[in-house]
Amino acid sequence: MEDAGRGLEQAAKLSTRDFARLSLFIYDTCGIKMPEVKKTMLEARLQKRVRLLGMSGFTDYCDYLFTAKGQQEELVQMLDLVTTNKTDFFREPDHFVQLTQNVLPDWWQRHPGTTLSIWSAGCSSGEEPYTLAMVLSEFALKNPGFDFRILATDISTRVLEKAKNAIYAEALVEPVPLEFKKKYLLRSKDRASGMVRIVPELREKVRFRRLNFMDEDFGMREQLDVIFCRNVIIYFDRPTQEKLLQRFHRQMKTGAHIFMGHSETLSGLDVPLVSVYPTVYRKLK
Ligand SMILES: C[S@@+](CC[C@H](N)C(=O)[O-])C[C@H]1O[C@@H](n2cnc3c(N)ncnc32)[C@H](O)[C@@H]1O
């Protein structure tokens, strides 16, 4: 018994060497920085994969991950566990006020009769793009003729599946204003389940797709009017942030806006975007 217990303990330990190769690989693959202080977190998150695959420890896991087969079969699973996906409906609510009161009226005046293209970049389990869908639908009600489409992308297939299903526990939709809940959320037939679903009219407005910001080609032909990329670049180092923002800049139409998370600043980055409200930037030319 004792031996078995010790075996399990050993299997759960991530050596300095394995941590070094994993952290370098994660940085190269998805840009997420993994300093030494994250070692315990990484160990905890990947332990279940080691166990599930019946491996004796992290060295076997790394050896497998770096093979062609591992790259094909394990990479996506590993990234699902490595990413931090915390999100909320109406997170950082003043951004939605800025959008409705300033950005949209100005855009609508300059582009009557066209469809607004908006990208939730790093959308996690869908709370951000569905919040946008609610807010934009409200704007459409007050401005007949206004239309929009939302692209929502993330690197994690696990959160994208959740987002596409659009089913949430009632506790998670608490930040949604009551009148929006009535309009845009469906209660489960089984009331005791405590689950709600986003109405089909909003689901139809959001297109979900897997996209890794480190990919050479985003596979996007269209340019965007608005980008929400909030609480994502915080996981990247400055050179990676700068490179990504330069790519976002190319993806934006002249006059487009980009919303960053409240703790994320572009100051000091070599990107031609101008700050227009706190953590909101604009491409002027
Ligand atoms: C903390 S969540 C933020 C979700 C949402 N934007 C919000 O503010 O509530 C960050 C998301 O970025 C995604 N992400 C991290 N690295 C990425 C990459 N290299 N490419 C695409 N998405 C990435 C993660 O999977 C995660 O879902």
Side-chain angles (χ1 to χ4, degrees):
M1 266 320 267
E2 240 177 48
D3 276 343
R6 222 175 290 145
L8 266 182
E9 235 168 66
Q10 271 169 9
K13 283 283 160 227
L14 180 57
S15 70
T16 307
R17 176 177 170 267
D18 287 336
F19 174 70
R21 49 186 187 148
L22 270 176
S23 66
L24 185 65
F25 179 70
I26 290 166
Y27 176 76
D28 284 345
T29 312
C30 63
I32 296 175
K33 52 184 163 54
M34 257 320 138
E36 185 71 27
V37 288
K38 297 266 177 87
K39 183 165 173 279
T40 316
M41 183 207 74
L42 187 65
E43 193 176 77
R45 288 188 181 184
L46 292 182
Q47 257 163 17
K48 54 180 121 162
R49 289 303 300 162
V50 174
R51 252 182 260 133
L52 203 86
L53 293 166
M55 291 175 170
S56 65
F58 279 104
T59 302
D60 282 358
Y61 183 75
C62 289
D63 290 345
Y64 169 60
L65 181 67
F66 299 137
T67 61
K69 191 165 181 264
Q71 291 294 294
Q72 214 171 23
E73 292 176 5
E74 184 56 23
L75 178 64
V76 167
Q77 312 266 11
M78 194 271 287
L79 292 176
D80 274 356
L81 291 168
V82 163
T83 52
T84 299
N85 313 109
K86 191 202 155 3
T87 187
D88 275 314
F89 284 96
F90 285 88
R91 185 179 194 181
E92 299 176 5
D94 49 313
H95 277 160
F96 301 100
V97 176
Q98 288 293 353
L99 184 69
T100 321
Q101 292 186 354
N102 297 310
V103 176
L104 293 179
D106 173 65
W107 183 89
W108 184 224
Q109 212 174 25
R110 289 184 296 114
H111 304 89
T114 42
T115 300
L116 179 97
S117 284
I118 185 159
W119 180 17
S120 169
C123 64
S124 191
S125 36
E127 286 86 334
E128 181 178 272
Y130 289 130
T131 300
L132 285 167
M134 290 181 202
V135 166
L136 293 168
S137 296
E138 287 299 304
F139 188 79
L141 282 176
K142 291 179 193 128
N143 297 274
F146 173 84
D147 200 8
F148 64 94
R149 56 173 166 264
I150 301 172
L151 170 68
T153 66
D154 203 282
I155 195 174
S156 164
T157 51
R158 181 177 45 85
V159 288
L160 284 172
E161 271 317 299
K162 246 190 116 197
K164 281 182 209 160
N165 281 337
I167 297 172
Y168 299 94
E170 266 169 19
L172 293 180
V173 299
E174 224 160 75
V176 178
L178 187 61
E179 73 270 30
F180 287 12
K181 278 186 185 151
K182 288 183 192 154
K183 266 196 243 181
Y184 300 123
L185 301 177
L186 296 169
R187 283 190 143 220
S188 165
K189 281 187 199 116
D190 171 15
R191 288 287 161 110
S193 75
M195 304 301 274
V196 295
R197 190 166 197 202
I198 306 292
V199 294
E201 304 82 73
L202 287 199
R203 295 203 310 263
E204 279 161 17
K205 288 290 193 187
V206 189
R207 203 162 27 103
F208 288 101
R209 181 154 85 72
R210 181 169 187 264
L211 186 150
N212 179 356
F213 295 135
M214 300 305 121
D215 285 350
E216 275 309 310
D217 182 5
F218 284 173
M220 288 168 65
R221 260 137 288 287
E222 69 169 339
Q223 281 194 309
L224 288 306
D225 296 295
V226 179
I227 299 178
F228 268 60
C229 183
R230 307 184 308 158
N231 309 297
V232 176
I233 68 162
I234 196 170
Y235 301 103
F236 302 155
D237 61 12
R238 292 304 268 175
T240 308
Q241 291 180 349
E242 187 168 278
K243 213 170 138 208
L244 182 60
L245 263 301
Q246 285 168 354
R247 298 186 72 191
F248 283 152
H249 177 265
R250 286 198 288 278
Q251 216 63 55
M252 292 160 75
K253 291 180 190 162
T254 302
H257 289 81
I258 183 163
F259 290 70
M260 308 302 299
H262 278 174
S263 58
E264 297 165 329
T265 173
L266 305 192
S267 96
L269 297 186
D270 182 17
V271 188
L273 291 167
V274 175
S275 167
V276 282
Y277 316 110
T279 64
V280 184
Y281 298 83
R282 191 165 192 195
K283 175 174 175 171
L284 292 182
K285 51 181 184 244

